[in-house]
Amino acid sequence: MRRAAAAAPDAAVRQWREAAGQGDLVLLDGFHALKHALRFGADVRLAVADDPDAVRALADGLAPDVGAEVARLVRRAPLKELLPRVHPTGVAALAVRPDREAGRAALGRLPRPAPVVVLDNPRNLGNVGAVVRLAAGFGATGVVTRGDLDPWHPHVVRAGAGLHYATTVDRVELAELPPGPLYALDPEGEDIRALTLPDDALLAFGSERHGISPELRARADHLVSLPMRPQVSSYNLATSVAMALFHWGGPKA
């Protein structure tokens, strides 16, 4: 019995390392990322934990709707051997990344029930993850980024708490933006409080330091500003997105 129990973690470690080398798998770091991914239909291939029973108990208490799936998936393995840092909830998982072409089709489909958030050359991984989490909560059609930052980077997925699976997340070029009127957030734009944002809008936000790029500004149909006290430089990126989505109206009942 002891040999069998000892062998199980070794098998889970081997399976994890083999799977982690595949490019189409996404790291779900922590219980909340696993929970949200399961809720929104992710194909989770493997979950590992130092204490699977503790993770099962966590699922039963916080997310009984996915408790059976968590119990089926989670296997014992030493997380410190597999991850650079261990999430406080003591669990990690690997899931298949959603089909990119299907996601782009969803972004391009009209009419849309909700806007698409466009992040123009964002630099901070945590900020992008926070935006994905916001977009999922508001029911946005998707989040697309321009530039070299990968919106599926593990740090972004961690900050997004697995809610990449609740919306469409992709990186695009300017010419690949989904259809719809482009509302670019810019200090020189019209006060957002005077506007009604349509469901098919593209809501574009500039980088944390430089704002909207000249090429996206030139492509914009409308320049929009958020109310801000004089001498305050800017809002955090996720705060700006939250304000714009709240003004749009949020998820329909």
Side-chain angles (χ1 to χ4, degrees):
M1 292 293 291
R2 289 184 179 177
R3 288 183 179 177
D10 291 341
V13 166
R14 184 169 58 254
Q15 186 177 356
W16 178 279
R17 287 175 173 161
E18 291 173 354
Q22 300 177 22
D24 64 338
L25 293 184
V26 176
L27 173 64
L28 303 174
D29 193 13
F31 177 75
H32 296 296
L34 173 59
K35 169 191 71 178
H36 284 136
L38 288 172
R39 281 180 174 168
F40 291 97
D43 179 4
V44 179
R45 295 295 173 86
L46 175 65
V48 292
D50 290 313
D51 186 350
D53 289 338
V55 174
R56 294 183 184 105
L58 193 63
D60 289 342
L62 297 180
D65 55 311
V66 296
E69 277 295 283
V70 171
R72 179 184 67 82
L73 287 164
V74 68
R75 301 175 60 184
R76 187 179 302 278
L79 295 185
K80 288 184 178 180
E81 293 185 17
L82 302 176
L83 302 170
R85 64 174 179 171
V86 177
H87 193 275
T89 54
V91 63
L94 294 171
V96 178
R97 180 169 171 168
D99 181 74
R100 192 176 188 189
E101 292 307 313
R104 290 197 170 193
L107 291 171
R109 195 174 298 125
L110 293 175
R112 277 195 298 266
V116 174
V117 174
V118 180
L119 303 182
D120 188 28
N121 295 306
R123 311 311 307 162
N124 185 283
L125 297 166
N127 281 347
V128 176
V131 169
V132 171
R133 194 168 185 174
L134 276 166
F138 272 96
T141 297
V143 176
V144 298
T145 64
R146 295 185 60 240
D148 56 6
L149 184 148
D150 178 9
W152 282 89
H153 187 283
H155 292 344
V156 180
V157 178
R158 180 187 175 106
L163 285 163
H164 283 60
Y165 290 89
T167 187
T168 297
V169 180
D170 199 4
R171 176 167 50 182
V172 301
E173 300 296 335
L174 184 63
E176 298 173 321
L177 285 176
L182 178 59
Y183 290 74
L185 275 288
D186 186 278
E188 298 179 10
E190 184 177 359
D191 191 317
I192 195 171
R193 292 170 292 185
L195 300 172
T196 297
L197 300 176
D199 291 346
D200 63 351
L202 307 179
L203 304 179
F205 302 82
S207 71
E208 295 87 346
R209 177 170 296 183
H210 301 294
I212 291 290
S213 63
E215 60 269 25
L216 189 64
R217 200 176 197 276
R219 162 77 167 73
D221 299 293
H222 307 274
L223 296 180
V224 181
S225 65
L226 296 171
M228 184 183 298
R229 182 180 178 181
Q231 298 184 312
V232 175
S233 299
S234 63
Y235 294 118
N236 173 271
L237 176 61
T239 300
S240 298
V241 174
M243 292 172 72
L245 287 175
F246 185 83
H247 181 76
W248 160 68
K252 304 299 189 291

